[in-house]
Amino acid sequence: MRIHLRELLTRAIEKTAQGGALNSTELPPVLLEPPKQREFGDLATNVAMLWAKTAKKPPRAIAETILKNLEDPDGILARKEIAGPGFLNFAFAPKFYYQRLRELAAGKEAALDLGHGAKVQVEFASVNPTGPLHVGHGRVAVIGDVLARLHEATGFKVEREYYVNDAGKQMENLGLSLYARYRELFGEKVDFPEDGYPGEYVTEIAAEIKQKDGDKYLKETKDVAVDYFRRYGGHSLLETIRRQLGEFGIEFGRFFYETDLTRAPLRGRSEVAITIDHLRERGLLYTEEGAQWFRSTQFGDDKDRAVIKSDGELTYFASDIAYHRNKFERRFAKLINVWGADHHGYVPRLKAALRGLGYDPEVLQVVLVQMVQLTRGGEPVRMGKRTGEFVSLDEVLEEVGRDAARFFLLMRKSDSHLDFDLDLAKRQSSENPVFYVQYAHARVASIFEQALKNGVAWNSAQRKIVPVERLELTEEMELIRKMSQINDVLEESVRELEPHRIVFYLLDLAGEFHRYYNRCRVISEDEDLTRARLLLVENTQKTIRRGLEILGVAAPLKMAAR
RNA sequence: GCGCCCGUAGCUCAACUGGACAGAGCAUCAGACUUCGGAUCUGAGGGUUGGGGGUUCGAAUCCCUCCGGGCGCGCCA
């Protein structure tokens, strides 16, 4: 919707500037937005007010000049006026809406190309394979997935990547935990490791190993056994995680293993070693108390960070720098990391390291995702991975289904806490937002079912000759208006990396449709009007489907029987 | 103690990043179909945007301060 007016407006502004109305050569940014008050029209801009400062002229005078210079050859504007302190308000003519509907029907508006094929990588989930995913992970995963879908839908070339931390102490703890459970299965009394993983799944994997190899690892040395268990457990749990994500509709293009960075090839050095060398060559490392430190304070971090410990071991940070260096070397136009918000303190040091290596840290954008609080009947559901009692993603999926789960996890801005009401999510009623949107989609399908029964002719030839001018109701204009906002919403959503905007938009659009449905009947004796209305609701349905697709939520033709 | 995030209607949250009288859903109350699915719609009430100060034409949004909640602050990962 926005782009059509933006062109006209930009031209008018340029003309005004050439007329010498502006002291500076710098033009103010043209921000067009739907005003909060509907009476103010369809779109409003504050350029005249922004301009007032540099031009040293009253905003209303500037606005007047812009209006005078505004040409509207096609007559898409019904109203253009100056309001309040200097806003320019615009309202579209019905003609404009008819154009939008025709273009929508022709599939033209569905192609939004903001990326022009630019390569974007989204790295998300990336949970250590030491246990199954819980809802918190689910939120991160769904947000990452939708950011990827959103970029795909707006003309970017997207790669989804999962970084597997398979090199560190947590994997070691997994191995020790399995080893302990394994021996318990043979009736031994063992002290469970302090930092071990207490979950039931550990025992299950240990039992699997026992089933397969019997008491083989009782006879091995502890080191050999634990090493095997670590690798076996890691594989097994990564498979579990993959399956869990798969059931959520999430697939990755690549799993990137930390060990590929830490292991040196036959002749040569590991990527981490190479990366650390780069930092050293740039004079960004120093030794203190036997450890090697990166001068991250030079780049805005609170304190310097260790990359090599005094025992010669690498820190996690070291491999993460190497990982991101690797990403930068793969030449993405944009790198997006989706992290749990508990890692927020980690962002400055990583960006510091990237700057230190000579990369532009702005290329990397980190989306932080806050925690999920599950509630059931208003009561919070206790969770805590440490204690082993947590609600796994499987249980949520089982209880509320994929669509509701995804929709609910996307309903909030990622940096605010999310209350996930399990009772509400599985309720099949009007209170449940996901049904509200899906129902709108299904409702259109049932209108078409009815139309078919009535013998209404509806094919691609018919669609082209629909007399859209027969649409005259306010509700019909509002519906088209709402539909034509989708590209604006996607644009904002991808710019701000905020998928929740799409959710709110779809709720809005569905509401607009339900209102219309209640206001009047689509199918009537009047054939021309019927066809015009069929075109209208068909494209509403198409628009809803397009949005739901980006969310990875099904757009059903029928709702399940209640 | 220091840093980051959050605080908006009874509840859960929006507000296009500084714009106009702060908007939705739920809950509450009052209404609407003999016809395309009532999983719907219409209307009403509900606010000093945690408190106070500042910046400017203009603040929920930016700055300072206080209160309250969350998360970080390892030679852990």
Side-chain angles (χ1 to χ4, degrees):
Chain A
M1 183 168 90
R2 207 175 265 162
I3 55 166
H4 303 92
L5 181 58
R6 182 175 284 148
E7 279 177 32
L8 302 183
L9 193 59
T10 306
R11 226 166 289 148
I13 287 171
E14 277 165 7
K15 206 168 155 194
T16 308
Q18 281 157 16
L22 187 58
N23 290 338
S24 152
T25 51
E26 202 164 311
L27 292 177
V30 182
L31 234 140
L32 271 170
E33 57 182 46
K36 282 176 191 162
Q37 304 293 117
R38 194 63 191 85
E39 315 93 74
F40 292 147
D42 291 309
L43 287 171
T45 182
N46 61 351
V47 268
M49 284 141 78
L50 293 180
W51 205 339
K53 276 171 199 156
T54 46
K56 291 182 183 136
K57 282 183 187 156
R60 292 188 68 106
I62 296 172
E64 224 161 287
T65 317
I66 295 175
L67 269 197
K68 218 168 58 201
N69 287 330
L70 186 73
E71 285 169 35
D72 177 21
D74 296 333
I76 61 171
L77 293 173
R79 241 173 51 221
K80 42 188 183 193
E81 58 202 16
I82 302 164
F87 288 101
L88 279 168
N89 293 339
F90 303 97
F92 291 115
K95 184 183 173 185
F96 173 79
Y97 291 122
Y98 299 142
Q99 276 177 15
R100 296 284 73 69
L101 181 56
R102 283 213 187 83
E103 282 183 15
L104 225 58
K108 280 187 193 161
E109 305 241 343
L112 176 63
D113 187 9
L114 301 171
H116 309 295
K119 276 174 63 186
V120 174
Q121 189 217 51
V122 187
E123 183 226 316
F124 62 105
S126 300
V127 179
N128 295 355
T130 54
L133 303 179
H134 58 68
V135 249
H137 299 133
R139 188 180 185 199
V140 170
V142 173
I143 287 176
D145 182 52
V146 173
L147 285 173
R149 288 168 188 257
L150 179 59
H151 278 85
E152 279 163 353
T154 52
F156 292 87
K157 200 167 166 353
V158 179
E159 189 165 310
R160 297 142 202 258
E161 190 158 296
Y162 186 117
Y163 181 56
V164 187
N165 292 126
D166 56 344
K169 189 175 266 183
Q170 301 206 18
M171 294 306 293
E172 188 66 18
N173 288 336
L174 176 68
L176 289 167
S177 306
L178 282 168
Y179 185 58
R181 292 299 185 216
Y182 177 77
R183 286 169 56 196
E184 276 175 7
L185 289 173
F186 288 94
E188 285 188 35
K189 186 112 176 65
V190 278
D191 290 329
F192 195 72
E194 185 137 339
D195 298 321
Y197 294 95
E200 185 66 28
Y201 62 90
V202 177
T203 313
E204 283 165 18
I205 296 171
E208 210 177 287
I209 297 172
K210 181 187 171 192
Q211 178 80 28
K212 207 162 54 81
D213 292 326
D215 63 356
K216 181 174 168 191
Y217 296 101
L218 289 181
K219 298 169 200 153
E220 297 283 0
T221 63
K222 182 178 177 183
D223 281 356
V224 170
V226 169
D227 184 59
Y228 176 75
F229 287 178
R230 179 174 52 77
R231 279 182 291 124
Y232 186 95
H235 280 295
S236 164
L237 285 164
L238 193 59
E239 269 322 297
T240 300
I241 289 168
R242 262 173 119 135
R243 176 195 47 80
Q244 289 185 293
L245 292 169
E247 281 165 11
F248 250 77
I250 300 170
E251 307 268 336
F252 287 87
R254 179 167 180 182
F255 284 76
F256 194 109
Y257 292 85
E258 184 183 1
T259 41
D260 286 344
L261 295 167
T262 53
R263 242 198 308 268
L266 270 176
R267 269 174 302 273
R269 333 199 42 188
S270 73
E271 274 195 58
V272 181
I274 292 168
T275 303
I276 290 174
D277 284 350
H278 276 98
L279 290 172
R280 191 177 292 114
E281 283 158 19
R282 288 164 179 261
L284 297 172
L285 293 189
Y286 63 93
T287 308
E288 193 174 288
E289 296 182 22
Q292 302 221 27
W293 302 75
F294 166 58
R295 298 183 193 278
S296 50
T297 46
Q298 277 193 16
F299 307 97
D301 196 10
D302 294 344
K303 47 181 94 162
D304 292 337
R305 310 288 174 175
V307 286
I308 300 178
K309 306 182 217 170
S310 50
D311 63 3
E313 290 280 311
L314 296 164
T315 63
Y316 169 84
F317 183 41
S319 36
D320 220 21
I321 300 172
Y323 176 44
H324 283 85
R325 174 176 167 273
N326 182 293
K327 287 191 192 182
F328 269 82
E329 288 304 315
R330 282 186 269 161
R331 304 282 168 221
F332 290 99
K334 184 149 78 158
L335 293 169
I336 299 169
N337 286 2
V338 189
W339 283 353
D342 52 344
H343 290 82
H344 72 261
Y346 198 76
V347 179
R349 83 185 68 162
L350 181 59
K351 292 212 170 196
L354 292 171
R355 181 157 297 177
L357 287 169
Y359 299 110
D360 175 12
E362 298 297 309
V363 170
L364 173 68
Q365 287 175 282
V366 182
V367 175
L368 297 170
V369 179
Q370 283 288 357
M371 336 206 64
V372 178
Q373 175 64 255
L374 283 176
T375 62
R376 193 179 265 129
E379 290 299 307
V381 179
R382 297 290 307 159
M383 279 188 294
K385 198 173 183 178
R386 199 175 41 79
T387 57
E389 43 162 328
F390 55 89
V391 178
S392 95
L393 203 51
D394 293 341
E395 291 170 60
V396 176
L397 193 66
E398 168 109 10
E399 195 166 336
V400 309
R402 182 204 277 194
D403 289 339
R406 287 187 66 117
F407 199 90
F408 271 66
L409 291 172
L410 290 166
M411 247 183 333
R412 304 289 173 241
K413 203 176 355 186
S414 72
D415 62 5
S416 43
H417 292 253
L418 170 71
D419 271 21
F420 190 140
D421 187 338
L422 287 166
D423 286 339
L424 176 62
K426 71 179 165 201
R427 210 172 300 159
Q428 304 207 344
S429 78
S430 56
E431 304 141 76
N432 191 339
V434 63
F435 286 100
Y436 186 83
V437 177
Q438 289 183 318
Y439 179 46
H441 186 270
R443 226 174 186 182
V444 176
S446 81
I447 294 174
F448 272 90
E449 227 169 77
Q450 185 66 33
L452 207 69
K453 265 189 226 157
N454 293 11
V456 177
W458 194 251
N459 52 43
S460 52
Q462 285 288 339
R463 281 190 186 87
K464 280 181 195 140
I465 55 164
V466 167
V468 290
E469 292 77 12
R470 292 297 309 279
L471 301 172
E472 292 171 329
L473 299 173
T474 314
E475 285 87 347
E476 290 168 337
M477 295 304 122
E478 288 300 298
L479 196 45
I480 303 174
R481 172 178 131 95
K482 190 53 76 180
M483 282 187 246
S484 21
Q485 284 174 350
I486 187 169
N487 283 347
D488 299 346
V489 172
L490 295 181
E491 195 178 330
E492 288 157 19
S493 185
V494 76
R495 184 186 67 220
E496 304 297 332
L497 304 179
E498 291 182 344
H500 76 278
R501 289 169 188 268
I502 302 168
V503 175
F504 280 88
Y505 169 75
L506 286 175
L507 286 166
D508 249 28
L509 177 59
E512 208 71 66
F513 169 74
H514 287 309
R515 206 163 304 136
Y516 177 60
Y517 181 92
N518 267 67
R519 167 69 203 280
C520 68
R521 293 183 59 78
V522 171
I523 300 165
S524 66
E525 298 302 311
D526 185 336
E527 280 185 35
D528 278 351
L529 183 60
T530 299
R531 274 201 285 273
R533 288 183 169 170
L534 281 176
L535 193 75
L536 175 69
V537 297
E538 184 176 58
N539 283 286
T540 306
Q541 187 190 42
K542 234 157 74 178
T543 307
I544 292 176
R545 194 186 314 134
R546 184 166 165 227
L548 285 175
E549 244 163 50
I550 293 174
L551 302 185
V553 173
L557 296 175
K558 270 188 184 349
M559 299 303 281
R562 303 184 70 182

